[in-house]
Amino acid sequence: MLKTQEKMLMNLYDTFMTAKRLVVMTGAGVSAESGIATFRGDQDSYWSRFDPYQLASAEGFIEAPQRVWDWYQWRRSQVGAAQPNAAHYGLAELAQSVPLFLITQNVDGLHHRAGSQQVCELHGRLMMNRCFNPSCGYREDAIDFSAPLITCPRCQSAYLRPDVVWFGESLSASSIQQSEAATTECDVFVSIGTSAQVYPAAGFAQIAAASGAQLIEINPEATALTSQVDWVIAEPAGKVFEGLRSLLK
Ligand code: OAD
């Protein structure tokens, strides 16, 4: 058993070290071992406890801005108290040794906090606010997790909202372009901790495969992507990177 685990880690290490261009895409599962809930899955996941329409759509915000604001302030306090885990740190360390383009669907900022310099944050940033009026463009750091819901200090015409992408909203064109370009050019694509159900992120693996890249998935559960990848590592990401970090040193 130990031998199998060691062999897997050595193979993964070799694959990473010999990659010419590595793309890693992470989802909520990479932060699970930091104590942050995932969106789908068990009874603790966000969308099994809360209605995504009410909390993660512009319509839900217009209907009840205070409800949405309170939920995001609660999430901010949870993320603020959490620490990056071995997977976040391991990815930051890996980027010192190989050309790595890191894409995340997570808004928690834990990759940055672990030291990753360049992270393509497809779904925005939890720890920032922006004006609900898109033509205003005001943005600020969200520092006080008990601050009340306020109108925008610049335009005074709309509430501030979290700087995240909600259902029905578009991702930034530049983040999609950068991710697609990196994915088209990579020779190894690694999907970590995502159920691969939300597009366009879920489609990047197919783009990589079409360009001839090797696909690897690190996820203890089967996903929409599992049957399409070359190598499934059905383990928690933190555990895998804990082992990998000892080889990276
Ligand atoms: P999901 O909650 O859909 O999926 C989380 C995945 O993480 C599942 O496949 C789990 O099996 C896996 N997982 C759990 N623990 C893990 C661990 N320790 N190591 C590795 N994997 C683990 O999360 P996402 O796919 O990220 O969108 O969700 C995509 C988007 O849907 C989110 O960005 C969010 C949500 O609605 C927005 O907020 C816009």
Side-chain angles (χ1 to χ4, degrees):
M1 182 63 187
L2 192 64
K3 281 237 163 72
T4 318
Q5 189 79 7
E6 276 171 12
K7 208 171 148 197
M8 178 275 284
L9 286 173
M10 284 305 297
N11 283 344
L12 191 60
Y13 177 83
D14 287 344
T15 304
F16 285 167
M17 288 302 143
T18 52
K20 290 186 187 71
R21 287 167 194 258
L22 180 62
V23 169
V24 174
M25 187 176 72
T26 65
V30 81
S31 298
E33 287 151 275
S34 294
I36 299 173
T38 58
F39 291 94
R40 299 167 188 81
D42 63 22
Q43 74 273 16
D44 292 331
S45 65
Y46 289 129
W47 299 153
S48 59
R49 289 188 284 160
F50 307 108
D51 178 351
Y53 168 83
Q54 287 191 347
L55 297 170
S57 75
E59 293 80 5
F61 187 68
I62 291 165
E63 192 179 275
Q66 188 69 54
R67 173 181 64 204
V68 175
W69 180 258
D70 289 346
W71 191 67
Y72 280 93
Q73 289 291 67
W74 170 71
R75 279 184 60 196
R76 282 169 175 164
S77 58
Q78 294 213 317
V79 167
Q83 298 303 324
N85 65 54
H88 300 106
Y89 287 117
L91 286 168
E93 287 158 12
L94 191 60
Q96 309 290 319
S97 309
V98 294
L100 185 156
F101 188 84
L102 180 57
I103 307 171
T104 190
Q105 297 167 82
N106 298 346
V107 296
D108 56 32
L110 289 181
H111 286 302
H112 278 298
R113 280 172 57 195
S116 283
Q117 310 267 316
Q118 290 192 326
V119 187
C120 184
E121 293 175 302
L122 286 178
H123 294 166
R125 292 158 295 179
L126 182 66
M127 298 302 193
M128 290 205 71
N129 290 317
R130 72 175 143 98
C131 182
F132 185 70
N133 174 2
S135 59
C136 168
Y138 178 78
R139 274 189 168 76
E140 63 169 31
D141 288 327
I143 298 160
D144 180 358
F145 307 150
S146 57
L149 173 69
I150 57 163
T151 50
C152 173
R154 182 186 291 169
C155 74
Q156 302 283 340
S157 74
Y159 286 123
L160 291 188
R161 55 165 281 181
D163 188 17
V164 300
V165 178
W166 282 334
F167 288 105
E169 294 182 327
S170 301
L171 280 61
S172 89
S174 67
S175 72
I176 298 179
Q177 272 165 15
Q178 285 171 24
S179 299
E180 285 183 352
T183 302
T184 307
E185 288 167 10
C186 74
D187 56 337
V188 179
F189 181 96
V190 191
S191 176
I192 306 179
T194 173
S195 61
Q197 290 184 47
V198 175
Y199 283 79
F204 293 150
Q206 278 89 9
I207 296 176
S211 308
Q214 179 185 8
L215 301 191
I216 302 172
E217 178 173 64
I218 303 177
N219 194 319
E221 307 288 336
T223 74
L225 193 63
T226 305
S227 63
Q228 300 163 57
V229 304
D230 300 295
W231 184 10
V232 179
I233 300 174
E235 305 265 8
K239 186 178 161 207
V240 172
F241 276 87
E242 207 176 285
L244 208 59
R245 284 181 84 197
S246 54
L247 299 174
L248 280 167
K249 282 179 181 139

